[in-house]
Amino acid sequence: MDSATLGRLAEQYPWSSWVVWDDSFPDDDCVEECPERLFEFVQNHAEMLTGETVFVGLNRSDDLPAPFSNFHAPTRTHYDYRLKEFVQDGGLRRLHGAYMTDLVDEVDADSHNVDATDEDVAVLLEQLQLLGADEYHLICFGNDPFDALVEYFDVDVSAHPPELRCATVALDGLMLHLYRVWFYGLYGANQDKVAVLERQLQTLNEQVV
């Protein structure tokens, strides 16, 4: 990934980020504790970054202190560390270095208050255009972003183990493969889905992406 594209993404879509974390994340002295250092940190890993795979959340729950700090909260209360453990520490090389973004540019800790619009999908497509590929694998965390994209593109959904929902979108010069995986921040009664998410990511890394 070239520096010019990284700079444009950081400026135009500051809620975006990349599937790469400091090895010590989320513990003390990790780079993520100084968010202003994240852009340089990402630049230093530019050779491993790929835009063909994109992780898509619904929206962020907090204001972001700096570009590329989304999905990188240095605390175990936000559960971002689970993604690092599953992908980076888990050796999922095809997912490591992927692009990350939220479908909706809105801050709200309660996702039930957030509704994706056609404009939000258009902004996502702008990001994909900037990334420059003609085929993408969009891995959506939870049903909300996945369902919003399925409704927008009006495509059929199929189910595959382990508890994956999938759809394919064919546009002029652009192919989108959509996948619903479970949200990494689940807890309590839904805690069992976190282990399923780990298997889902392993499956996508090995068989699909």
Side-chain angles (χ1 to χ4, degrees), residues 53-58 83 95 103 136-151 155-169 176-186 190 192-194 196-204 208-209:
T53 301
V54 181
F55 285 84
V56 183
L58 180 62
L83 292 178
L95 304 183
L103 181 57
Y136 290 95
H137 298 272
L138 304 184
I139 303 174
C140 302
F141 292 120
N143 288 311
D144 289 341
F146 180 84
D147 289 343
L149 293 174
V150 165
E151 180 178 356
V155 290
D156 295 329
V157 175
S158 59
H160 303 272
E163 300 181 26
L164 288 164
R165 298 174 65 211
C166 308
T168 300
V169 179
L176 306 178
H177 305 281
L178 311 179
Y179 312 96
R180 191 291 318 268
V181 300
W182 292 117
F183 177 51
Y184 57 90
L186 295 174
N190 297 312
D192 62 313
K193 297 300 184 184
V194 176
V196 179
L197 167 63
E198 183 174 17
R199 297 200 304 273
Q200 290 173 327
L201 295 177
Q202 291 168 347
T203 296
L204 291 175
V208 181
V209 177

Side-chain angles (χ1 to χ4, degrees), residues 2 25 54 67 92-93 107 120 160 180 182 185:
D2 63 88
F25 176 84
V54 181
L92 304 187
R93 297 185 181 276
V107 178
D120 294 320
H160 303 272
R180 191 291 318 268
W182 292 117

Side-chain angles (χ1 to χ4, degrees), residues 24-166:
S24 61
F25 176 84
D27 298 325
D28 292 343
D29 299 324
C30 65
V31 165
E32 288 82 0
E33 286 195 330
C34 301
E36 66 276 6
R37 295 171 55 198
L38 270 172
F39 182 80
E40 181 182 2
F41 175 77
V42 170
Q43 277 191 315
N44 290 338
H45 292 79
E47 289 187 0
M48 66 164 293
L49 303 181
T50 173
E52 287 86 356
T53 301
V54 181
F55 285 84
V56 183
L58 180 62
N59 74 296
R60 59 192 183 278
S61 59
D62 290 322
D63 290 320
L64 299 173
F68 296 161
S69 58
N70 200 8
F71 307 98
H72 288 68
T75 170
R76 293 188 181 272
T77 62
H78 275 255
Y79 300 107
D80 294 349
Y81 71 90
R82 288 176 175 168
L83 292 178
K84 187 247 187 181
E85 290 179 352
F86 293 163
V87 178
Q88 185 166 304
D89 297 345
L92 304 187
R93 297 185 181 276
R94 294 180 179 178
L95 304 183
H96 194 197
Y99 184 65
M100 311 179 83
T101 191
D102 281 325
L103 181 57
V104 181
D105 175 23
E106 183 177 325
V107 178
D108 198 315
D110 187 351
S111 62
H112 294 96
N113 298 330
V114 179
D115 293 314
T117 66
D118 290 357
E119 183 178 351
D120 294 320
V121 178
V123 172
L124 175 63
L125 291 174
E126 289 174 3
Q127 294 171 69
L128 301 185
Q129 183 177 21
L130 185 55
L131 290 169
D134 54 15
E135 184 173 9
Y136 290 95
H137 298 272
L138 304 184
I139 303 174
C140 302
F141 292 120
N143 288 311
D144 289 341
F146 180 84
D147 289 343
L149 293 174
V150 165
E151 180 178 356
Y152 179 87
F153 292 112
D154 191 23
V155 290
D156 295 329
V157 175
S158 59
H160 303 272
E163 300 181 26
L164 288 164
R165 298 174 65 211
C166 308

Side-chain angles (χ1 to χ4, degrees), residues 8-28:
R8 290 183 63 186
L9 289 166
E11 179 180 358
Q12 298 177 29
Y13 312 102
W15 62 90
S16 67
S17 191
W18 298 88
V19 182
V20 58
W21 295 267
D22 190 354
D23 287 338
S24 61
F25 176 84
D27 298 325
D28 292 343

